Structure formats: structure tokens, C-alpha cells
Amino acid sequence: MSKSHKFAYIHVIELTFCLMEWINITESSQIKELIEKSNDKAVIIFKHSPRCHISKFALRNFEASFTNPTEVDCYLVDVVNDRLYSMEVKESLQVQHESPQLIIVYKEKAVFNTSHESIDGADTDKLLLRL
């Protein structure tokens, strides 16, 4: 008499995460400061809606694939709770408002911006290395 055995196969996926150190934009003065700071080194602004599943997904994917090779400062704007600052970013950098949205600021200008499923940490790494 033979015994039958059932086996469960478990697939393990190894992921490498960059522990993001976000600087939350909570004051208007921070926007002016980060734009000035961009004269020396690029900065990243991520506009995020905590109510939106697409925004949460984009943020998680960005954090999972971004290695920050040039050690830029990364700023986060909550477009729901800090809408005024989100709009100030839009006006100061002359970019169309979107959420989620990733903006690279360099030499006081938005040199790159993208949104939704086009936000990619590895592509951002490559862009930063070219600046």
C-alpha cells in the first residue's frame, strides 16, 4: 500500500529596498529652500495622496526600486492634507499638478517630472547620475 504525500511549494522573492528618508513639506518656506538647494544638488519631490491606491502603489514601487545613488534629498508632499503646498510646488516649478507625481528639481527648475505608472526608481537613479 503506497502513501501519497502532498507538498507545498513556497517561492521566496528577494527584494532590496532603499530605506527612504522622506522630508515632509509642511511649510511654505521649505519649498523656497529646496528650490535654492537645487543649485548645488538635485532634489526630488514626490506628490502623494494617502487616499489613492494608485498613489500608494506608485510610492511603494518607487521606494522599492530607488537606490538614491547621488544621495539627494527627497521631499514628500501630501496632496490631501497639505494641498496649499502642493499647489505652491506646481506654481513655483511651473509643472502641471498630478498625483502621484515625481519631480526632479535642479538649478531651480523642474528638469524632469512624471506621474502614475511612469514613476520608476531605477529610471530616476539613471537620470540623477546624468545631472
Side-chain angles (χ1 to χ4, degrees), residues 39-83:
N39 280 309
D40 298 322
K41 188 183 232 182
V43 298
I44 287 177
I45 301 172
F46 196 105
K47 293 171 73 175
H48 169 64
S49 170
R51 293 183 187 164
C52 173
H53 295 292
I54 293 169
S55 188
K56 289 177 187 176
F57 182 76
L59 181 60
R60 273 195 307 257
N61 281 346
F62 178 75
E63 289 176 329
S65 60
F66 181 62
T67 65
N68 200 356
T70 57
E71 299 180 0
V72 299
D73 287 339
C74 299
Y75 292 84
L76 189 69
V77 181
D78 179 331
V79 300
V80 175
N81 296 311
D82 295 315
R83 184 158 181 76

Side-chain angles (χ1 to χ4, degrees), residues 33-43 105-109:
E33 289 170 12
L34 76 85
I35 291 171
E36 288 175 15
K37 191 185 286 190
S38 75
N39 280 309
D40 298 322
K41 188 183 232 182
V43 298
V105 184
Y106 186 59
K107 303 289 185 196
E108 298 192 14
K109 293 184 178 150

Side-chain angles (χ1 to χ4, degrees), residues 70-109:
T70 57
E71 299 180 0
V72 299
D73 287 339
C74 299
Y75 292 84
L76 189 69
V77 181
D78 179 331
V79 300
V80 175
N81 296 311
D82 295 315
R83 184 158 181 76
L84 289 176
Y85 306 129
S86 175
M87 291 296 113
E88 187 173 340
V89 166
K90 169 193 171 274
E91 292 168 11
S92 297
L93 297 172
Q94 299 177 344
V95 294
Q96 181 176 333
H97 168 74
E98 297 192 63
S99 175
Q101 182 176 28
L102 178 103
I103 305 166
I104 298 176
V105 184
Y106 186 59
K107 303 289 185 196
E108 298 192 14
K109 293 184 178 150

